[in-house]
Each structure stands twice: as structure tokens, then as C-alpha cells.
Amino acid sequence: SNKEGLDEDRIGNFAAVATFEPIIEIWDLDIPSKTIPTFMLKGHKGAVLSLKHNPVFRNVLVSGGSDSTIRVWDLNEAESTAITETSESKGEKLKLKLHGKSKISNVQWLKSGTEIISAGYDSRIVLCNVSVEKPKAEKSWKVPNDEEIESIEIFGADEEYILVATDNGTVYCFNIKGESNSKPVWALNAHNGGISSITSNAVIPSM
């Protein structure tokens, strides 16, 4: 059936939900009685481990999965091609393999809306401009001791730093404005076990 794009008719409230299944569910929060997703994004071959909406282009979503791929989605196209009975849709615009065969644990957009930083179980974080014709790893950094990266957080007024939390409880800070493969600015032994999530304070600097 023909459907209006997400931006053509109204500014709606949508939630993207990932599970250990290889699909991404898109729910219309303005229809709370709906029992199935508005549409679903299919492309990953394993669990979807990370999702992030684009801060500039509200119809664009990036995902990272256990199949070692990063995928960029156009939600307008996905909704317009959804099959009503099954909610299956198209919409995948880009598939990247920036971490070899390693799972993608986290992916984040920079404020520009054109660059992403991804983290994998290969102990690396990678900066990539997805707006160019053939996106590739522009810079990368590696945490010591082959620690697996569980979570990342970009911070700083000019997004110059990234916090990297690992499976052994260490937080590393890298300067992403600096050279590729540079050493951490500092390291903090924060927990006795893996760090599943890390965030910075949006109001108070350096917290």
C-alpha cells in the first residue's frame, strides 16, 4: 500500500527497537494501540547490537550488528516500501565492514550527521565519513591488551574526545581530532568488571 514518508505528512514520534533477532522494529508511538511494528528493517544476519538516529537527518538510522556489519538506513524509503501484512521493508542504503570479522558493539553519529564512529570486539574504534561515494576507515585507534570495547561516548564542545569502555572495567580517552593510532590521552580503572554503558554530562563539562 502507498504510504506517506515520515517527513512528508507530519513530524511523528517513532522508536527504533533492536533485539537479539536480526531485525530492527520501527514503532509509531502516536498509535499506542498498535500491536505490531509500523515496519521492520531487515538486512543484518545476526543480533543488532547498536542503533543510533542521525542528529541532522531525522529519517536516517545507523546500526551495528553481531554479523560484523554497519548498516545505514533511510526510514522514509523503508516506510514507503513496507508490506502491510508483514511490515517487512527495504531501506538499506549502505553496508560497511570496518572491523573485519569482529562484532560491532557500538556506533555513534558525530554532530555533522555525515560521520560515524564505530567500536568493535577487535579492540578498535573507527572514524568513517558515510556521505562520500566509497566510505572507508579514515582514522582508527586501538585499546591496549586486546580488551573488547563495550561502549563509547563522544564528548567535548568540538567533539574532540571519545570515551571507550572495555570488558575489563577500564575507560580510555582518545583525541579523535589527533592522528590515527595515537595513544590514549588517559585511562581510568573504573570498574572491576565489564562496562556495559558510559555517558557524559551534557551540561557540566568533563563529567
Side-chain angles (χ1 to χ4, degrees):
S1 62
N2 293 326
K3 296 186 179 183
E4 295 295 323
L6 296 180
D7 284 319
E8 294 174 1
D9 189 39
R10 62 181 173 85
I11 301 298
N13 297 297
F14 292 85
V17 179
T19 69
F20 283 106
E21 298 297 325
I23 61 170
I24 301 167
E25 299 177 351
I26 307 296
W27 292 82
D28 187 342
L29 302 182
D30 294 326
I31 311 177
S33 61
K34 195 171 179 67
T35 58
I36 61 171
T38 305
F39 55 95
M40 295 186 291
L41 307 175
K42 292 195 173 184
H44 282 288
K45 305 302 181 186
V48 180
L49 304 178
S50 183
L51 283 178
K52 200 72 174 181
H53 275 289
N54 190 293
V56 178
F57 309 102
R58 68 181 304 272
N59 61 302
V60 177
L61 182 74
V62 67
S63 61
S66 63
D67 59 358
S68 76
T69 68
I70 297 164
R71 298 171 191 252
V72 178
W73 309 85
D74 182 339
L75 300 186
N76 281 344
E77 180 178 325
E79 187 183 39
S80 66
T81 60
I83 301 170
T84 303
E85 290 76 14
T86 62
S87 296
E88 293 181 17
S89 67
K90 300 178 181 179
E92 181 181 301
K93 308 305 292 183
L94 190 63
K95 181 174 75 171
L96 300 170
K97 293 201 73 170
L98 302 176
H99 295 265
K101 296 181 179 180
S102 296
K103 297 177 181 179
I104 308 302
S105 58
N106 209 288
V107 61
Q108 302 276 347
W109 289 102
L110 272 70
K111 292 178 183 177
S112 65
T114 59
E115 293 178 298
I116 61 169
I117 286 193
S118 58
Y121 288 160
D122 58 352
S123 307
R124 296 168 59 244
I125 52 173
V126 174
L127 175 68
C128 176
N129 185 340
V130 298
S131 68
V132 300
E133 185 176 351
K134 294 183 178 180
K136 61 181 181 179
E138 297 183 353
K139 293 182 181 181
S140 66
W141 299 265
K142 194 174 190 299
V143 298
N145 307 317
D146 294 323
E147 297 170 42
E148 293 183 349
I149 300 172
E150 300 285 351
S151 183
I152 58 175
E153 170 79 352
I154 302 166
F155 79 107
D158 297 320
E159 297 185 312
E160 64 266 44
Y161 298 107
I162 186 166
L163 301 176
V164 180
T166 70
D167 62 336
N168 81 338
T170 305
V171 176
Y172 296 96
C173 176
F174 289 90
N175 183 346
I176 59 177
K177 299 292 186 182
E179 294 182 1
S180 182
N181 293 316
S182 57
K183 293 182 178 180
V185 178
W186 51 258
L188 172 68
N189 294 322
H191 292 268
N192 294 326
I195 303 173
S196 58
S197 180
I198 188 169
T199 188
S200 60
N201 192 302
V203 178
I204 304 173
S206 301
M207 180 171 283

